[in-house]
């Protein structure tokens, strides 16, 4: 290991460690922090004669890993449901942007072949920056985030026909000029390939076989391999095997001329239902983060400030012009595909940059005599600048645009033409289970949710739901809250849940309210707002896990169930004791009555345990009894 390598690693890691926390603290996001770090250290890297482009090619493997992780989150059925947006949004975005950019390049004096190559290169957006930022800001699940992902996935697929088309645009004069260097170029660029020199139909068969082997290997090979590796009980061996798996797929895709990111994405989708999915996620994620950070720094360090200083107005003008063109095309598509409110702005601004595949395609165009090197250098600078400006667009969206749509949705709420006695607000994982149980028991429900994509999915399975924000008083009235017996609040927003409880319990006191709480303190807030039936998000599943742990330790199932119920009763008793003392305006550790009572209850529990039999001894004998004859009779009467 050389001193130069250690010095380079120290500079890169140090720059990231200093810049990213500052950028995050200022609300700029980690991507902009990495880009700024790269710009700052670029003179040092130049003085050390570091090949930034070579490092960038290595760091691009972080994009490959990211697509693998994205694939793990998508089951094949979900991917199939995305086909409309994938082909519609993605296809129209690439075609529309290519057409407009090509026309603009011709207007600026470029031959049509060069102009078309420019249009193809600049039609792509940055998967690395957009997906990282969407995940970081929690926007990936929004309609705008899902639409953006559909476009990025289509672009990744579109690189394949672009690589086939671009050589056909070669300029004879460039080819003749470089003819004397062809032999050397081929010698240096020649690499391993399974399809080089094959007729078209044979290359297609080899390519299809490679994709089929990835799918078949993911289904039939990975489980026994990972099971075998897991038997060694060595975490580092599992990590190495996971990396081997991804590198192998990327290598196979490269050998047949496909995108490595596309190949690993397919493998991730195949493994989405695997029992090793979460282990793979936790093992690959740190490598993905490191490589993406390195990639962003190389983008910042690779900006050619000399070329920019020589042509500042034309370069900056073309960069802004490109982003305006792409944002306009995306805005039109958002209108066609009914993205509304903040989602259309997220979709339009988030994808308005050129992408990392642009660097690859520009090198490819120069190598195939499609584009003069001077033009490619300018375009590389435009690509890098547009990527640098992207985090600023996300900040603009978050601080200026999003607040304008906060609390309201541009899409009109559905007209509610049937009213049940039970209203369910929110039909995610929590509300979905509640609704299915109520329907199974024969009750009619009115379900409200404001995720358009979620509703479209549910309606495909004949689930009756209405689009609308359940926290709006007028929508609740339209849903029949005045005549309802019960309101189940299962929305994700903590503050909105509390406010909805406060509104309903004060305005419609006859309505029985069941609310979902995010944590113990949220229970106190909901209690103070008037709700008396509060369900903590993960409490019941945790209790079931504890009961299973009892049984695994040899405790009889009846005794395990009894202890679990006693724990639940004891915890409910503690919550009730502390709820009246909780003050949301005062930090818990500064709330003296709260702290004093918590210490008293803790001391009581410790004293009970010291006497033997556990803290719940006194209540253990009466906490759970088998059903009596009267209970059975009452049950039979209800069933009749």
């Amino acid at each position: 290991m050389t001193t130069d390598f250690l010095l380079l690693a120290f500079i890169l890691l140090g720059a990231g460690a200093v810049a990213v926390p500052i950028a995050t603290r200022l609300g700029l996001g980690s991507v902009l922090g990495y880009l700024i770090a790269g710009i700052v250290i670029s003179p040092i890297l130049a003085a050390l004669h570091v090949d930034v482009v070579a490092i960038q090619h290595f760091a691009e493997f972080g994009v490959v890993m990211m697509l693998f992780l994205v694939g793990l989150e998508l089951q094949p059925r979900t991917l199939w449901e995305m086909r409309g947006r994938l082909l519609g949004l993605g296809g129209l975005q690439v075609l529309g942007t290519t057409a407009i950019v090509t026309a603009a390049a011709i207007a600026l004096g470029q031959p049509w072949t060069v102009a078309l190559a420019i249009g193809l290169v600049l039609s792509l957006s940055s998967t690395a920056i957009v997906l990282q930022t969407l995940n970081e800001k929690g926007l990936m699940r929004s309609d705008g985030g899902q639409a953006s992902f559909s476009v990025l996935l289509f672009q990744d697929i579109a690189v394949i026909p672009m690589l086939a088309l671009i050589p056909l645009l070669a300029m004879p004069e460039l080819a003749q000029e470089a003819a004397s260097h062809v032999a050397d170029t081929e010698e240096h660029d020649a690499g391993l390939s399974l399809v080089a020199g094959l007729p078209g139909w044979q290359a297609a068969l080899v390519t299809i076989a490679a994709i089929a082997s990835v799918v078949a290997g993911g289904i039939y090979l990975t489980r026994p391999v990972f099971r075998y590796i897991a038997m060694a009980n060595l975490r580092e061996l599992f990590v190495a095997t996971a990396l081997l798996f991804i590198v192998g797929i990327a290598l196979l895709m490269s050998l047949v001329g496909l995108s490595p990111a596309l190949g690993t994405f397919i493998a991730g989708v195949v493994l989405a239902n695997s029992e090793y999915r979460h282990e793979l996620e936790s093992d690959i994620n740190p490598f993905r983060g490191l490589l993406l950070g390195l990639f962003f720094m190389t983008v910042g360090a690779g900006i050619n400030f000399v070329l920019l200083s020589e042509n500042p107005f034309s370069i900056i003008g073309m960069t802004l012009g490109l982003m305006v063109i792409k944002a306009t095309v995306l805005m039109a598509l958002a209108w066609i595909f009914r993205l509304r409110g903040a989602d259309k702005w997220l979709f339009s601004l988030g994808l308005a940059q050129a992408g990392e595949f642009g660097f690859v395609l520009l090198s490819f165009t120069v190598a195939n005599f499609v584009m003069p090197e001077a033009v490619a250098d300018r375009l590389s600078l435009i690509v890098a600048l547009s990527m640098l400006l992207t985090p600023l667009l996300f900040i603009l969206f978050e601080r200026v645009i999003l607040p304008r749509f906060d609390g309201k949705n541009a899409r009109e709420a559905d007209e509610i033409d049937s009213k049940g006695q039970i209203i369910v607000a929110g039909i995610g994982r929590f509300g979905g289970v509640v609704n299915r149980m109520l329907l199974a028991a024969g009750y009619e429900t009115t379900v409200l949710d404001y995720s358009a994509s979620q509703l479209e999915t549910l309606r495909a399975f004949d689930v009756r739901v209405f689009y609308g924000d359940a926290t709006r008083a007028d929508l609740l009235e339209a849903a029949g809250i005045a005549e309802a017996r019960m309101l189940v609040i299962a929305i994700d927003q903590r503050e909105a849940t509390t406010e909805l409880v406060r509104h309903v319990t004060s305005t419609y006191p006859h309505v029985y309210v069941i609310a979902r709480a995010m944590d113990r303190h949220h229970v106190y807030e909901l209690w103070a707002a008037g709700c008396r039936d509060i369900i903590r998000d993960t409490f019941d599943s945790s209790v079931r896990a504890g009961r299973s742990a009892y049984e695994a330790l040899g405790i009889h199932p009846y005794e395990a169930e009894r202890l679990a119920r006693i724990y639940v009763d004891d915890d409910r008793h503690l919550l009730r004791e502390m709820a009246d003392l909780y003050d949301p305006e005062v930090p818990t550790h500064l709330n003296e009555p709260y702290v004093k009572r918590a210490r008293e209850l803790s001391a009581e529990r410790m004293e009970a345990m010291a006497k033997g039999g556990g803290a719940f001894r006194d209540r253990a004998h009466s906490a759970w009894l088998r059903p009596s004859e009267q209970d059975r009779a009452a049950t039979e009467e209800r069933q009749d």
Side-chain angles (χ1 to χ4, degrees), residues 11-12 14-16 18-20 22 32-47 296-303 305 388:
I11 292 171
L12 292 171
V18 172
V20 174
I22 295 175
L32 189 56
Y34 282 120
L35 291 169
I36 294 172
I39 293 172
V40 171
I41 65 173
S42 60
I44 303 175
L45 298 180
F296 296 139
M297 279 197 279
T298 58
V299 170
I303 293 177
F305 285 100
L388 179 65

Side-chain angles (χ1 to χ4, degrees), residues 414-465:
D414 289 339
E415 182 179 349
I416 301 174
D417 52 8
S418 68
K419 301 175 182 178
Q421 288 190 314
I422 303 171
I423 300 173
V424 179
I427 190 70
R429 289 179 300 174
F430 188 96
V433 172
V434 177
N435 187 54
R436 286 195 294 273
M437 291 183 67
L438 290 170
L439 293 175
Y443 292 99
E444 186 178 352
T445 61
T446 300
V447 180
L448 306 174
D449 201 298
Y450 63 94
S451 171
S453 60
Q454 174 81 349
L455 265 60
E456 288 175 7
T457 302
L458 292 172
R459 283 170 176 165
F461 294 95
D462 296 328
V463 178
R464 189 171 178 76
V465 292

Side-chain angles (χ1 to χ4, degrees), residues 161-362:
M162 287 183 186
L163 289 172
L165 175 63
I166 284 175
L168 302 178
L169 304 174
M171 300 176 67
E173 56 269 31
L174 288 178
Q176 291 174 2
E177 182 182 337
S180 58
H181 305 292
V182 167
D184 292 339
T185 302
E186 288 180 346
E187 183 179 346
H188 289 300
D189 290 347
L192 293 175
S193 173
L194 295 177
V195 295
L198 294 179
W201 65 274
Q202 290 183 3
L205 286 179
V206 172
T207 303
I208 293 172
I211 296 175
S213 66
V214 170
V215 176
I219 296 174
Y220 299 109
L221 185 62
T222 53
R223 283 181 174 83
V225 168
F226 282 122
R227 192 177 300 122
Y228 173 75
I229 296 298
M231 289 170 60
N233 201 25
L234 293 172
R235 182 178 174 83
E236 62 272 20
L237 187 59
F238 197 94
V239 173
T241 307
L243 289 174
L244 172 69
F245 180 68
I246 295 177
V247 171
I249 293 172
L251 175 62
L252 178 60
M253 293 295 104
S254 298
L255 288 174
V256 297
L258 294 182
S259 162
L262 177 63
T264 53
F265 173 77
I266 294 173
V269 173
V270 173
L271 289 172
N273 291 321
S274 166
E275 63 270 31
Y276 298 105
R277 167 190 160 190
H278 297 295
E279 183 68 22
L280 288 169
E281 283 181 344
S282 61
D283 288 342
I284 298 299
N285 206 38
F287 295 98
R288 175 201 65 90
L290 277 174
L291 287 175
L292 279 182
L294 180 59
F295 171 76
F296 296 139
M297 279 197 279
T298 58
V299 170
I303 293 177
N304 189 340
F305 285 100
V306 175
L307 181 58
L308 179 61
S309 62
E310 293 172 351
N311 309 276
F313 297 109
S314 62
I315 296 293
I316 293 175
M318 285 189 283
T319 302
L320 296 178
L322 169 68
M323 299 184 79
V324 169
I325 289 172
K326 298 193 78 170
T328 304
V329 171
L330 291 163
M331 185 64 81
L333 292 176
W335 181 79
I336 294 171
F337 284 83
R338 298 184 178 181
L339 284 176
R340 298 292 183 262
D343 288 314
K344 69 181 179 185
W345 287 100
L346 174 63
F347 177 69
S348 304
L349 296 179
L351 296 174
Q353 75 294 123
E356 55 275 0
F357 279 117
F359 298 122
V360 178
L361 291 180
L362 286 172

